[in-house]
Amino acid sequence: MSTTTEPLLQSPVTSSPNFSFFKWKSISIDPFLINNRFINCTACLLLLITLAPALSSAQYEDKIDRIDSVLTFLHQNELFNGAILIADKGEVIYRKAFGTKNIETNEMLTTSSAFNLASVSKQFYTMLVMILKEQGKLSLDDPVREHLPSFPYPDIAIRHLMNQTSGLPEYFDMAGGDMNLMDTLTNASLLKLISSRKPDLVFQPGDQWQYSNTNYTTLASLIESVSGTRIDLLFQELIARPLQLNDTYVYNLKLDSYPPSRVFGFGYEGGKGIPRDLVRFDGIVGDGNIYSSVEDLFKWDQSLYTDQLVSQSTMAEAFAPGILNSGDSTRYGFGWGINKPGKIVSHTGGWVGFRTIIVRYIDVNQTLIVLDNSSNYHALLLPRNIWEDRPYTLPKSHLITNVNVIDGTGLPPYPTNVRILDSQIRDMGPLSPYVDEEVTDGKGLVLAPGFIDSHSHHDWGLEENPSCIAATNQGITTIVIGQDGSSVPIDSIKVRIKRKPISVNIASYTGHASLRRQFMDDVLRKATDIEIDSMKTVLARELDKGSLGLSTGLEYEPAFYSNRDEVVALAKVASSKGGRYISHIRSEDLHQEEAIEEIIAIGQKADLPVQISHLKIAKRGNWGSSSKLLRQLEQARLDGIDITADVYPYVMWSSTPRVLFPKKDFENLASAEFATSELFDPASSTMIQYPPNKSYEGKTVSEIAALNGESDAQTLLRIIRETSPEGMGGSIVATSMSEEDVQNFLKWPHSNICSDGAIGGHPRGHGSFSRVLGKYVREQQLMSLHAAIQKMTSLAAEHVGIHNRGLITPGYFADLVLFDPDAIIDNATIENPTALSDGVLSVWVNGKMVYQNQKAVDNYPGRFLGRGN
């Protein structure tokens, strides 16, 4: 019947709001996202078409043909099971029923079959209130507690309930927490719970509009109190019998029986039909649980043009937008969404397996009614778009067969088929192709969730390379940018994607150094309180726009001179918005222990998850101490700090050579000598960017030293001196880690895989993920294949705060990679850093293929992923 929200479901293309109110309940599944299927059997299709007089039939023949064709397509593709009726000027011009009303009996639907209307029910309950008003038994402006003495809110009037302006919170979490598995929720038990708990109002009555099913369960209790009659009996007396609605009635789990016209909800999981009908919340009425057919709903619709139930002046009030205390209008009347005042009103419903809509074009007396019992919403959108001459697109499915799925949960592979519908995974199991459905034969290879690169710089160059083959060739479908303290505004990212679509998804942190540059004339110092406050304001705004949280690059000069208090102050802002903290810590070599202590302290003081970027030990004298470091991190986790890390699978890093001077004494020969002996190997560390002298690019530091007759340390000073003041003009790929430590960090249960890579430069940009799967999984058997996949998918999603990605499961977005576990390997090297990986056959992003057989596919479905998306 309902869930914690009542979303507005809008048509894909619309010039005005399309009010669609679904009645959801908060249970173990989200009925809007789960996969659903229909009975695809022509024997189950009952065709009931009625044509109106010739004029109406001819006038709308093209639209009806298109609607019929679309619904037939949806039914054949298991995307619609239900009934539809369209009328013009009081005459039915199209009605038809598709499929079954009970999957357990295979009984066929008819246009007289009674569906659970879910939130479409609300208009009937308001009608009962209006009838009682005309009988003189209540006034719409009566305080609710005048009729329900235990109701704890003196300022809420009946009108507030009907207009959804009371401020009452949704009841699902509160009621669910009070119930055990043997309980069935009723209006009496809910009213008693509200009276005892007195939950805080979301806003003061009349101040705002917010859909809440609690308004209408309370309304039902009030109707019974005022009338002194059980509501199902009152409904029959005051509405159903006067209008001769023979297949319309109130039904819930507290009633002993139901009429034979009752339809049962269902859905499909794993290729099999399963019941999806009433649950333990369904002893309640008011927000739903009226059953009706398309035939009866049409009678109901036509009665509203008359005085059969209430006067037209009372009905006019039902179709008038509610008025807030401010004088502003809402777009909701008494159980009706007001699409266009005086012209179009509508309502939708969604609960368990039911999806429903009624649209009344009251200025021209036209009606569109669609009822579905298979958990699908497509038929609520497409017929209306066609009828209203709006653009529409048919859903498109794609079946991937004969694959071994590693689903991202950490479980071993299992054989199955996977169906994609538009951008999401719809179903998994022994699925057969639909007629003309696109099919990919996986040939027994592995299908995994698309890899999430939790620390990426692949956005560099996306303008010129929107296919981002550096990422997709290794199975990456989402890149997380804004790293090391540097970022661009969220609005700029969104504008860039809109202006030039890309092949991968992008999520971003907000960079600490970028905030410092925005408000500080000199970043080589501590920030003042005023500057920190300014940074906090911008950070909060960016978080509201979808930033994942705060990133820092504390080893780099623009942030190196900040103190811990500054970082904690900003991290607290991220925490308050549900964001996270990721950091290139202040030292990865000389002062690494203190740097680790600092990020742990930030997590503790700001009370938010913290992640160490590209965890490594870069000081030769500390090699082999990874176990000690991991014990420190595990202790922090035991102390309640949610600390994690990402790791790339190389013993060489890439950055500005200035990080080789921990004391920032860039002219000190002794420090340079320490760097060449302890912090990197000059003989195997290559300058990949050297703007002052291009001939040095591709040469090691030792090779450059030999050319100049210098020691390695002297050459390091030369490199620092000749590149730009902040070292951004020079870039080095430096070898300075031990293989043992890299392996230990890769194996840590709380580390995920990243690349820290870009489109060029370090080979990690093209090869990190395929290198893990080839070298460390297949060749060295450092971890199982399914454990590695989890680190690249669901664990990465968890560590950055991305939802609905990282798993292969119905309802998640279809970011997928098909690869050969026996062939996957990286080929990128220092000499050829853009060499593509072997073994990755196909990559899909949001359901569209973007990479196949070492070539980019010209699809650009990438999206910006805000926090929680």
Side-chain angles (χ1 to χ4, degrees):
M1 286 158 50
S2 311
T3 177
T4 54
T5 59
E6 286 279 340
L8 272 68
L9 176 62
Q10 294 195 346
S11 303
V13 180
T14 178
S15 58
S16 63
N18 174 7
F19 274 82
S20 303
F21 301 94
F22 275 84
K23 186 183 183 210
W24 298 129
K25 276 186 180 172
S26 180
I27 54 175
S28 60
I29 54 175
D30 181 343
F32 189 74
L33 293 178
I34 56 176
N35 91 83
N36 305 295
R37 300 182 60 192
F38 297 81
I39 304 296
N40 185 11
C41 175
T42 55
C44 298
L45 173 62
L46 177 64
L47 173 61
L48 292 174
I49 299 179
T50 297
L51 294 179
L55 178 62
S56 292
S57 175
Q59 184 178 3
Y60 297 110
E61 183 176 357
D62 176 63
K63 288 184 179 182
I64 291 171
D65 285 348
R66 281 188 286 146
I67 289 171
D68 185 70
S69 177
V70 164
L71 291 181
T72 299
F73 167 83
L74 293 177
H75 180 71
Q76 290 173 344
N77 287 272
E78 300 178 335
L79 295 171
F80 175 57
N81 189 93
I84 181 171
L85 183 147
I86 300 175
D88 176 49
K89 296 179 177 59
E91 298 288 346
V92 176
I93 59 176
Y94 174 69
R95 56 186 164 198
K96 191 169 182 178
F98 298 75
T100 60
K101 75 175 188 179
N102 186 340
I103 61 167
E104 295 185 326
T105 64
N106 256 358
E107 188 178 356
M108 291 187 295
L109 285 169
T110 73
T111 55
S112 296
S113 299
F115 293 71
N116 188 323
L117 298 182
S119 280
V120 171
S121 304
K122 289 180 169 65
Q123 57 201 254
F124 290 98
Y125 295 109
T126 58
M127 176 58 78
L128 289 174
V129 174
M130 291 187 291
I131 292 172
L132 293 174
K133 172 215 169 191
E134 291 202 345
Q135 291 177 350
K137 295 181 178 179
L138 56 79
S139 166
L140 300 187
D141 294 311
D142 287 346
V144 172
R145 69 189 308 173
E146 181 177 320
H147 304 286
L148 294 175
S150 67
F151 188 69
Y153 307 102
D155 297 328
I156 294 179
I158 296 174
R159 187 183 302 275
H160 291 134
L161 301 179
M162 297 168 76
N163 280 149
Q164 304 274 15
T165 59
S166 73
L168 284 172
E170 282 286 8
Y171 66 82
F172 310 110
D173 287 343
M174 177 178 61
D178 187 64
M179 296 166 65
N180 62 46
L181 294 179
M182 299 298 294
D183 290 335
T184 299
L185 186 66
T186 66
N187 291 73
S189 65
L190 178 58
L191 182 60
K192 182 178 180 181
L193 187 63
I194 291 172
S195 300
S196 62
R197 296 279 182 88
K198 300 179 178 63
D200 292 338
L201 296 178
V202 180
F203 50 82
Q204 289 303 303
D207 278 359
Q208 298 179 40
W209 181 91
Q210 180 171 299
Y211 199 100
S212 173
N213 289 287
T214 317
N215 288 318
Y216 277 72
T217 60
T218 305
L219 200 64
S221 295
L222 182 143
I223 292 167
E224 289 192 330
S225 177
V226 170
S227 68
T229 305
R230 206 172 71 191
I231 203 163
D232 59 311
L233 302 178
L234 188 70
F235 178 82
Q236 288 297 312
E237 175 189 346
L238 298 182
I239 296 179
R241 279 197 292 272
L243 298 182
Q244 297 182 12
L245 304 181
N246 299 321
D247 297 303
T248 303
Y249 43 84
V250 176
Y251 175 74
N252 63 30
L253 294 178
K254 287 296 184 179
L255 297 177
D256 295 332
S257 61
Y258 52 83
S261 61
R262 179 191 169 193
V263 173
F264 292 79
F266 75 96
Y268 261 71
E269 293 181 8
K272 297 180 180 180
I274 59 167
R276 189 168 290 144
D277 206 68
L278 302 186
V279 296
R280 57 196 176 98
F281 282 86
D282 287 307
I284 205 163
V285 295
D287 55 346
N289 280 335
I290 286 179
Y291 284 70
S292 188
S293 66
V294 292
E295 301 279 4
D296 273 4
L297 283 176
F298 174 57
K299 291 181 186 178
W300 159 256
D301 159 72
Q302 291 300 293
S303 77
L304 301 181
Y305 292 105
T306 74
D307 295 333
Q308 283 182 271
L309 299 179
V310 294
S311 67
Q312 285 300 291
S313 60
T314 295
M315 281 309 307
E317 196 170 7
F319 297 138
I323 304 299
L324 300 177
N325 295 334
S326 64
D328 293 337
S329 296
T330 71
R331 294 185 177 181
Y332 197 83
F334 294 166
W336 289 94
I338 314 301
N339 302 101
K340 293 183 179 180
K343 294 185 177 182
I344 305 175
V345 296
S346 68
H347 214 292
T348 64
W351 176 232
V352 287
F354 295 94
R355 304 291 181 268
T356 60
I357 187 170
I358 180 171
V359 187
R360 302 186 70 237
Y361 305 90
I362 53 181
D363 57 334
V364 293
N365 190 0
Q366 292 180 347
T367 316
L368 185 151
I369 302 163
V370 184
L371 307 177
D372 180 286
N373 66 317
S374 65
S375 308
N376 281 285
Y377 62 89
H378 294 85
L380 276 59
L381 299 173
L382 294 172
R384 182 174 185 178
N385 283 349
I386 295 170
W387 189 253
E388 296 180 3
D389 297 313
R390 295 177 178 177
Y392 64 93
T393 302
L394 291 178
K396 184 178 181 181
S397 66
H398 178 196
L399 185 63
I400 305 174
T401 63
N402 189 24
V403 288
N404 284 300
V405 164
I406 299 181
D407 59 17
T409 61
L411 293 175
Y414 53 90
T416 191
N417 298 338
V418 175
R419 173 165 282 126
I420 300 169
L421 181 65
D422 292 334
S423 63
Q424 293 181 313
I425 298 165
R426 179 182 171 201
D427 201 2
M428 301 170 64
L431 311 174
S432 300
Y434 300 141
V435 176
D436 297 327
E437 184 176 31
E438 182 181 358
V439 178
T440 295
D441 182 357
K443 299 180 180 179
L445 301 177
V446 169
L447 186 72
F451 304 149
I452 298 171
D453 189 353
S454 64
H455 187 118
S456 173
H457 300 285
H458 286 103
D459 55 317
W460 301 347
L462 269 182
E463 285 280 335
E464 298 78 22
N465 299 282
S467 67
C468 202
I469 199 170
T472 59
N473 95 98
Q474 52 182 311
I476 296 170
T477 57
T478 296
I479 61 174
V480 181
I481 63 172
Q483 304 289 352
D484 303 319
S486 295
S487 65
V488 296
I490 298 299
D491 285 344
S492 296
I493 298 171
K494 294 177 180 178
V495 167
R496 289 179 186 178
I497 295 174
K498 185 175 181 180
R499 186 183 71 245
K500 189 156 190 177
I502 57 178
S503 290
V504 294
N505 302 312
I506 290 185
S508 182
Y509 286 90
T510 298
H512 173 219
S514 296
L515 293 172
R516 296 188 108 232
R517 289 190 182 99
Q518 185 173 348
F519 295 106
M520 297 176 65
D521 54 356
D522 175 15
V523 294
L524 305 182
R525 61 171 174 82
K526 298 176 184 177
T528 66
D529 289 344
I530 293 175
E531 290 165 341
I532 292 172
D533 286 342
S534 297
M535 288 188 267
K536 288 165 64 177
T537 298
V538 172
L539 175 59
R541 187 162 62 237
E542 289 294 285
L543 287 159
D544 288 340
K545 293 177 180 179
S547 169
L548 299 174
L550 176 69
S551 86
T552 60
L554 299 177
E555 193 170 29
Y556 298 114
E557 288 157 83
F560 179 80
Y561 296 95
S562 66
N563 59 25
R564 184 180 301 179
D565 288 346
E566 174 185 329
V567 179
V568 168
L570 293 170
K572 285 181 177 180
V573 174
S575 177
S576 71
K577 300 284 187 176
R580 309 175 71 87
Y581 175 77
I582 190 169
S583 181
H584 178 130
I585 57 177
R586 209 174 289 267
S587 174
E588 297 177 325
D589 41 56
L590 191 61
H591 302 291
Q592 184 166 29
E593 185 173 348
E594 295 94 321
I596 295 292
E597 290 173 354
E598 180 180 42
I599 191 172
I600 291 172
I602 291 168
Q604 188 272 325
K605 291 178 180 294
D607 189 24
L608 83 173
V610 294
Q611 175 137 340
I612 301 171
S613 290
H614 42 62
L615 180 60
K616 64 174 70 74
I617 295 174
K619 182 174 179 288
R620 185 185 298 271
N622 291 338
W623 286 0
S625 63
S626 51
S627 296
K628 177 184 176 183
L629 191 157
L630 291 174
R631 287 196 298 271
Q632 183 182 5
L633 299 184
E634 285 292 351
Q635 184 59 55
R637 293 184 62 83
L638 289 172
D639 292 338
I641 311 302
D642 184 3
I643 187 165
T644 57
D646 51 40
V647 187
Y648 54 76
Y650 295 87
V651 296
M652 51 191 183
W653 49 261
S654 179
S655 187
T656 165
R658 293 172 74 90
V659 298
L660 293 167
F661 288 79
K663 298 178 181 178
K664 311 305 178 190
D665 50 349
F666 302 110
E667 300 176 0
N668 189 323
L669 181 59
S671 292
E673 289 172 340
F674 176 80
T676 57
S677 64
E678 278 290 320
L679 304 187
F680 80 119
D681 179 4
S684 58
S685 299
T686 303
M687 293 300 302
I688 56 174
Q689 288 183 327
Y690 203 106
N693 190 337
K694 291 287 188 179
S695 67
Y696 288 170
E697 293 181 357
K699 291 183 171 57
T700 68
V701 172
S702 294
E703 287 170 341
I704 297 172
L707 289 173
N708 290 284
E710 297 172 335
S711 68
D712 292 337
Q714 291 170 326
T715 294
L716 180 58
L717 292 177
R718 170 191 291 275
I719 291 169
I720 297 296
R721 185 171 62 250
E722 291 182 354
T723 54
S724 65
E726 290 188 4
M728 301 310 294
S731 181
I732 187 172
V733 173
T735 299
S736 67
M737 292 173 266
S738 79
E739 182 68 23
E740 176 190 353
D741 290 333
V742 170
Q743 291 187 15
N744 283 341
F745 292 145
L746 287 170
K747 288 189 297 183
W748 188 44
H750 304 292
S751 70
N752 64 267
I753 309 302
C754 74
S755 75
D756 192 18
I759 289 176
H762 194 301
R764 65 193 179 189
H766 276 70
S768 291
F769 287 77
S770 44
R771 181 179 178 84
V772 169
L773 298 177
K775 176 179 178 178
Y776 290 103
V777 172
R778 185 180 63 248
E779 296 176 2
Q780 297 187 7
Q781 299 183 5
L782 185 69
M783 65 186 84
S784 67
L785 181 60
H786 49 276
I789 294 298
Q790 183 184 27
K791 285 175 171 286
M792 298 175 174
T793 57
S794 64
L795 192 64
E798 177 186 338
H799 286 178
V800 298
I802 291 173
H803 295 176
N804 300 320
R805 297 178 196 267
L807 292 176
I808 298 180
T809 192
Y812 270 53
F813 286 96
D815 297 343
L816 302 166
V817 54
L818 180 69
F819 69 93
D820 183 347
D822 296 326
I824 192 167
I825 196 67
D826 62 309
N827 293 313
T829 62
I830 292 291
E831 295 73 27
N832 186 10
T834 61
L836 300 181
S837 299
D838 289 330
V840 176
L841 278 73
S842 302
V843 177
W844 293 264
V845 173
N846 295 313
K848 292 187 179 295
M849 188 174 289
V850 298
Y851 178 86
Q852 188 172 41
N853 298 328
Q854 294 197 312
K855 291 182 180 179
V857 178
D858 288 334
N859 285 321
Y860 302 98
R863 303 176 182 178
F864 171 77
L865 306 183
R867 186 178 65 263
N869 292 337

